[in-house]
Every structure is written in structure tokens, then in C-alpha cells.
């Protein structure tokens, strides 16, 4: 177990990979929650930090995932105990572009805004994070109370700022089926 949070990158063979499709379904659920919660104001953490003053402003709803027929990837923020704290709000077509985006976000944590969203059922609260009004990060799961989601969002921002960024992606392999050929995609 790592002593610090980590940012890990996952590569999928294509946008039709079942694990990638599950990621997209969750992203779309958060996006739908953003549409339902359009009246919720975003809370932007100012340069003074989470204990300093907060500025209220509106943010736009979450964006759809980028889809690709070639290899694609996502990134996640993990706590020291490997629990997922947050995930990217888009897919990437290269490891270099994903890593560059993470680096830019880490350098501008004070410009990120947390937006609360509600799931499709009572007791489903979540969030996403924007930079300049564009979604960049989402919750990794639904929370039972909005206060729990807000606490998790601030913890994810703290972890994003302090995390160790991995140097290479992890390949997510679909389950092997007899008779299927393996093609080595590069991300």
C-alpha cells in the first residue's frame, strides 16, 4: 500500500471494451445528474485553500466522454489505500495527452470548481469538478448523502494536488475467450 495518493492511467483496447463502456455509463449517469441538478451552484475553492473563503458561481453540466475506435484511456485518483477518489471526465487517445492534462490540472487546483449532482434515485449524491466551466473530474461512485459527496470531492482535490503521478499506463485486458486473436494496441 502506498503512503500517498496516486494518479493511475488505464488503457483500453478500444471504446467497445466492456470495462470502458462501464466507465462511460457512469459518466453519462453523472451527466444526467448534472442536468437534473442544474440549479445547484458550483463552489470554487479560492487560492486560500479549502479552509479559506469560497466563491459561488454556476458551472456547466458535465460533458460526454470522448469516444474512439482505436485504443483509449482514462485516469483515476486513488487514495493511499487504493480506493478510487475520482476519475477523469473524459477519455484520451494517448497516454501523453492524459498525463499532460493531469499535470495541468495539478498546477491549477485553485481554479477547480466542485458541482454537486443528484442521481436518478433518492440517496444518490455525487459531484464533478470543472476548470473554466468544463468538466475535468467526476466522483467514482454515488454517495448516500450530499454532505458525504462534498467531503469526498474536497478530499479528491487534496489528493489530486498531492498525488504521485504514475509514469506508464496499465492495460485493462478484457477476459480472454477461446479462439479470439490478440492484437497489441499501443496507447
Amino acid at each position: 500500500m502506498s503512503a500517498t495518493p496516486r494518479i493511475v492511467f488505464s488503457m483500453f483496447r478500444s471504446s467497445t471494451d466492456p470495462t470502458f463502456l462501464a466507465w462511460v455509463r457512469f459518466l453519462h449517469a453523472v451527466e444526467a445528474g448534472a442536468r437534473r441538478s442544474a440549479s445547484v451552484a458550483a463552489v470554487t475553492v479560492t487560492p486560500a485553500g479549502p479552509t479559506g473563503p469560497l466563491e459561488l458561481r454556476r458551472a456547466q453540466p458535465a460533458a460526454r466522454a470522448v469516444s474512439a475506435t482505436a485504443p483509449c484511456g482514462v485516469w483515476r485518483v486513488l487514495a493511499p489505500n487504493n480506493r478510487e477518489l475520482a476519475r477523469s471526465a473524459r477519455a484520451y487517445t494517448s497516454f501523453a495527452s492524459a498525463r499532460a492534462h493531469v499535470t495541468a490540472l495539478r498546477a491549477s487546483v485553485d481554479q477547480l470548481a466542485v458541482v454537486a449532482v443528484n442521481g436518478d434515485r433518492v440517496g444518490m449524491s455525487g459531484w464533478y469538478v470543472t476548470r473554466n466551466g468544463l468538466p475535468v473530474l467526476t466522483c467514482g461512485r454515488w454517495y448516500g448523502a450530499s454532505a458525504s459527496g462534498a467531503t469526498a470531492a474536497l478530499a479528491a482535490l487534496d489528493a489530486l494536488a498531492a498525488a504521485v503521478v504514475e509514469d506508464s499506463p496499465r492495460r485493462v485486458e478484457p477476459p480472454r475467450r477461446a479462439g479470439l486473436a490478440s492484437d497489441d494496441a499501443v496507447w
Side-chain angles (χ1 to χ4, degrees):
M1 184 162 50
S2 172
T4 60
R6 293 176 297 125
I7 296 175
V8 299
F9 301 87
S10 299
M11 182 196 90
F12 305 95
R13 288 178 187 239
S14 75
S15 63
T16 61
D17 181 283
T19 307
F20 178 74
L21 292 175
W23 177 85
V24 170
R25 280 191 300 276
F26 183 79
L27 180 62
H28 288 174
V30 171
E31 179 185 42
R35 284 192 301 271
R36 280 190 297 278
S37 309
S39 63
V40 177
V43 178
T44 303
V45 180
T46 64
T51 58
L54 298 177
E55 170 192 342
L56 296 177
R57 69 174 181 84
R58 287 217 186 275
Q60 298 174 4
R64 292 195 182 278
V66 174
S67 181
T69 55
C72 57
V74 298
W75 54 271
R76 299 178 298 141
V77 180
L78 302 181
N81 66 357
N82 289 328
R83 181 176 45 94
E84 183 180 74
L85 299 175
R87 53 178 67 174
S88 59
R90 61 178 266 201
Y92 301 84
T93 56
S94 74
F95 172 66
S97 64
R99 198 164 201 285
H101 195 217
V102 166
T103 301
L105 291 176
R106 288 169 46 87
S108 62
V109 170
D110 59 335
Q111 298 172 12
L112 302 179
V114 177
V115 181
V117 299
N118 296 316
D120 61 354
R121 294 187 308 274
V122 174
M124 288 178 68
S125 296
W127 51 269
Y128 67 95
V129 172
T130 66
R131 180 176 178 218
N132 299 327
L134 298 173
V136 293
L137 194 65
T138 73
C139 54
R141 66 179 184 90
W142 294 108
Y143 298 88
S146 58
S148 299
T151 300
L154 292 177
L157 290 178
D158 288 343
L160 175 67
V164 172
V165 181
E166 290 199 349
D167 292 327
S168 60
R170 301 172 179 187
R171 277 183 74 134
V172 178
E173 296 289 338
R176 290 237 174 218
R177 294 192 178 122
L180 291 181
S182 172
D183 58 334
D184 292 327
V186 176
W187 185 53

